[in-house]
């Protein structure tokens, strides 16, 4: 089965976000910042109490900041990922990323070709095959994957068939 597609910056950003959501290491880092920041503020608040700041002021400040932080940080984090991805894409040519690719999945291998490169990857080298509502990812490393946008397929059923076939070949490999 074969698909031809050209990634755009939004596809790259979606892959970055997917990696962050599915990497135990990146998730630990995210949750450390998310939950340790209010705990650090609580320690500072205790110092304020020890210095004689009224309890009501400390409590209101601590509660307001914690609510704002827990609600706002996920949005701020995602926007930061988007901005950093755009900056990284602007830093280099990214010639092999933002060009037309042709991916063919066969029983023995995954083939990806473009005007600049050709590669053949044995299914034994593929670590996992994953899918979201918008993309299919074929991982050959923990953060290295081929991203196939589902919008490149004529129908949702073709995208599902492609994913099912890739997953089947990966399991057999």
């Amino acid at each position: 089965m074969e698909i031809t597609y050209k990634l755009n910056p939004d596809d790259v950003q979606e892959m970055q976000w997917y990696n962050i959501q599915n990497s135990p290491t990146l998730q630990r880092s995210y949750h450390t910042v998310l939950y340790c920041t209010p705990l650090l503020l609580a320690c500072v608040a205790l110092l304020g109490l020890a210095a004689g700041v009224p309890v009501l002021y400390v409590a209101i400040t601590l509660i307001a900041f914690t609510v704002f932080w827990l609600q706002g940080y996920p949005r701020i984090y995602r926007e930061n990922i988007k901005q950093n991805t755009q900056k990284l894409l602007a830093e280099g040519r990214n010639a092999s990323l933002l060009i037309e690719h042709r991916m063919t999945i066969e029983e023995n291998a995954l083939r990806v070709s473009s005007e600049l490169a050709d590669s053949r990857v044995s299914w034994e080298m593929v670590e996992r095959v994953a899918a979201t509502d918008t993309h299919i990812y074929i991982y050959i490393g923990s953060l290295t994957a081929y991203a196939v946008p589902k919008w490149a397929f004529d129908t949702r059923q073709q995208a599902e068939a492609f994913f099912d076939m890739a997953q089947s070949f990966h399991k057999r490999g």
Side-chain angles (χ1 to χ4, degrees):
M1 184 173 214
E2 185 175 281
I3 184 71
T4 300
Y5 59 93
K6 182 177 179 180
L7 295 175
N8 60 50
D10 290 338
D11 295 318
V12 176
Q13 194 272 324
E14 281 299 316
M15 184 171 176
Q16 295 286 12
W17 186 244
Y18 180 81
N19 285 334
I20 289 165
Q21 292 176 310
N22 291 281
S23 164
T25 301
L26 295 174
Q27 278 295 297
R28 268 192 305 279
S29 174
Y30 171 82
H31 286 105
T32 297
V33 173
L34 180 65
Y35 297 120
C36 286
T37 301
L39 290 176
L40 183 61
L41 182 63
C43 292
V44 171
L46 289 175
L47 292 174
L49 289 174
V53 176
V55 173
L56 185 60
Y57 292 148
V58 170
I60 289 171
T61 301
L62 186 59
I63 290 169
F65 176 82
T66 300
V67 168
F68 167 77
W69 182 254
L70 294 176
Q71 292 293 316
Y73 182 69
R75 279 178 280 199
I76 292 166
Y77 187 80
R78 176 131 189 182
E79 185 59 31
N80 191 326
I81 296 300
K82 183 177 181 178
Q83 289 173 358
N84 284 338
T85 301
Q86 290 170 349
K87 287 176 187 176
L88 288 169
L89 286 172
E91 279 181 11
R93 282 184 41 220
N94 296 298
S96 66
L97 186 62
L98 302 175
I99 60 173
E100 187 172 278
H101 294 83
R102 174 176 286 126
M103 179 180 286
T104 306
I105 54 175
E106 302 167 344
E107 192 167 349
N108 296 325
L110 167 71
R111 294 182 188 276
V112 181
S113 61
S114 71
E115 62 199 47
L116 300 175
D118 290 309
S119 65
R120 179 188 177 279
V121 177
S122 166
W123 287 108
E124 293 169 356
M125 187 174 161
V126 173
E127 289 190 12
R128 65 187 168 108
V129 178
T132 66
D133 289 340
T134 58
H135 292 82
I136 298 167
Y137 301 111
I138 302 176
Y139 279 84
I140 57 172
S142 60
L143 289 175
T144 306
Y146 292 105
V148 181
K150 289 185 177 178
W151 55 256
F153 295 90
D154 291 333
T155 66
R156 193 65 139 171
Q157 291 77 17
Q158 286 178 336
E160 289 172 14
F162 186 91
F163 172 72
D164 291 342
M165 188 178 290
Q167 206 169 37
S168 173
F169 291 159
H170 168 251
K171 287 178 182 177
R172 280 190 252 161

